[in-house]
Amino acid sequence: MDYRYRGATTNALDGVTLAVEPGVSLGVVGESGSGKSTALSLLLGLARPTSGRVLLDGAPLDLSDRRRRRDFRRRVQVVFQDPYSSLDPRQRVDRIVAEPLVSLRLRRGRESLREAVTAALASVDLDADVARRYPHEFSGGQRQRIAIARALVTGPSVLLADEPVSALDLTTRLGVIALLDRLKRERGLTVVMVSHDVSAVAALCERTVVLKDGRVVEQGTTRDILDSP
Ligand code: ADP
Ligand code: ADP
């Protein structure tokens, strides 16, 4: 697929195929300006390719009607780089984590929401009492776990992660990567991780695509790509 920003004279993505197979995690790496964020926003359905199609979880992305868009939002969730700015500091954690369920009207009623929030927090190794607290009470690593709980609460099959550990210190980073790896295996989650951190990609992703100037310059198993000179 190609993508060109309005008013730009060159394509931000040029002939890029990102075929993400179910249950396989894909790392998207490349220097700043190589097209990683553009690729992520196309996978998120935020923009349409200028030409070509987005294949996600083995199927073309189809957002042609409300039902499909709603299903897509349930099935495909996202975690961002900076857990300090991605969680609203004025909302309690239970509200933050329940938000996708409320806005997609997947569950209603206090008890039902509480149950879903507790389960989502447990799946990222956080206690139920975290729900009654506010984001500023937590460290970066814990906040990123809260953001992952929010992403998991709808039972997605795909998790898009935009530099999910780049804002964390090294030890915290390893913990979050281990968590993502476990979730991937336990739930058969498809993970697409955009990162300039090669060690994070090596730890989590079976396959890697390397972008440069909007083009795929290498793709294959992460092992082959990291071993190549
Ligand atoms: P990365 O995430 O790898 O840093 P981006 O996807 O942000 O790369 O950028 C890819 C290319 O698209 C770059 O040349 C960048 O300057 C350009 N670009 C990004 N966002 C915009 C925009 N909103 N309008 C015009 N050009 C953009
Ligand atoms: P972790 O504590 O999980 O390793 P961080 O990398 O975010 O996660 O934390 C680095 C240090 O900064 C920790 O000692 C943490 O307690 C502290 N810290 C985290 N968040 C804040 C914050 N909002 N204000 C002040 N200090 C914080």
Side-chain angles (χ1 to χ4, degrees):
M1 64 187 171
D2 296 342
Y3 188 78
R4 179 174 295 205
Y5 286 98
R6 192 187 302 267
T9 53
T10 56
N11 289 341
L13 290 179
D14 202 83
V16 172
T17 300
L18 289 176
V20 188
E21 298 304 323
V24 175
S25 57
L26 176 72
V28 180
V29 304
E31 288 163 19
S32 179
S34 59
K36 302 184 300 295
S37 310
T38 305
L40 197 78
S41 54
L42 296 182
L43 290 174
L44 257 178
L46 296 177
R48 277 188 210 195
T50 315
S51 68
R53 285 190 313 178
V54 177
L55 289 170
L56 192 55
D57 229 5
L61 190 61
D62 179 359
L63 303 174
S64 58
D65 62 44
R66 270 184 73 178
R67 190 183 60 78
R68 289 194 172 87
R69 283 194 292 275
R70 187 169 174 274
D71 183 59
F72 175 75
R73 285 177 57 195
R74 187 192 65 70
R75 207 165 55 76
V76 178
Q77 290 285 346
V78 62
V79 175
F80 296 99
Q81 173 170 3
D82 181 0
Y84 290 95
S85 57
S86 66
L87 305 180
D88 184 343
R90 296 161 300 188
Q91 305 280 355
R92 258 173 40 169
V93 169
D94 51 2
R95 274 224 171 183
I96 291 173
V97 173
E99 188 279 328
L101 294 176
V102 174
S103 66
L104 292 171
R105 297 196 191 85
L106 292 169
R107 278 188 187 228
R108 59 190 77 205
R110 261 176 40 173
E111 266 318 302
S112 171
L113 289 171
R114 196 201 322 251
E115 202 183 299
V117 166
T118 303
L121 290 173
S123 69
V124 298
D125 305 321
L126 291 175
D127 293 337
D129 67 345
V130 166
R132 292 195 309 276
R133 295 162 64 187
Y134 289 84
H136 73 268
E137 299 176 56
F138 298 97
S139 70
Q142 289 169 319
R143 284 181 197 220
Q144 200 57 304
R145 284 172 195 270
I146 294 168
I148 295 168
R150 176 178 59 188
L152 294 175
V153 80
T154 63
S157 57
V158 179
L159 189 65
L160 303 178
D162 188 358
E163 302 275 6
V165 297
S166 306
L168 307 176
D169 64 37
L170 186 61
T171 7
T172 312
R173 210 176 270 200
L174 296 175
V176 171
I177 290 290
L179 169 66
L180 290 171
D181 190 50
R182 195 190 78 208
L183 292 168
K184 187 185 87 182
R185 284 184 282 108
E186 285 177 0
R187 297 174 176 234
L189 262 186
T190 304
V191 179
V192 181
M193 179 166 76
V194 167
S195 185
H196 66 265
D197 180 348
V198 173
S199 65
V201 170
L204 189 66
C205 303
E206 287 103 45
R207 297 188 65 82
T208 295
V209 166
V210 184
L211 297 178
K212 187 173 198 296
D213 298 332
R215 292 196 173 84
V216 174
V217 290
E218 269 191 286
Q219 62 182 316
T221 65
T222 301
R223 183 174 307 182
D224 285 348
I225 287 187
L226 295 185
D227 281 350
S228 72

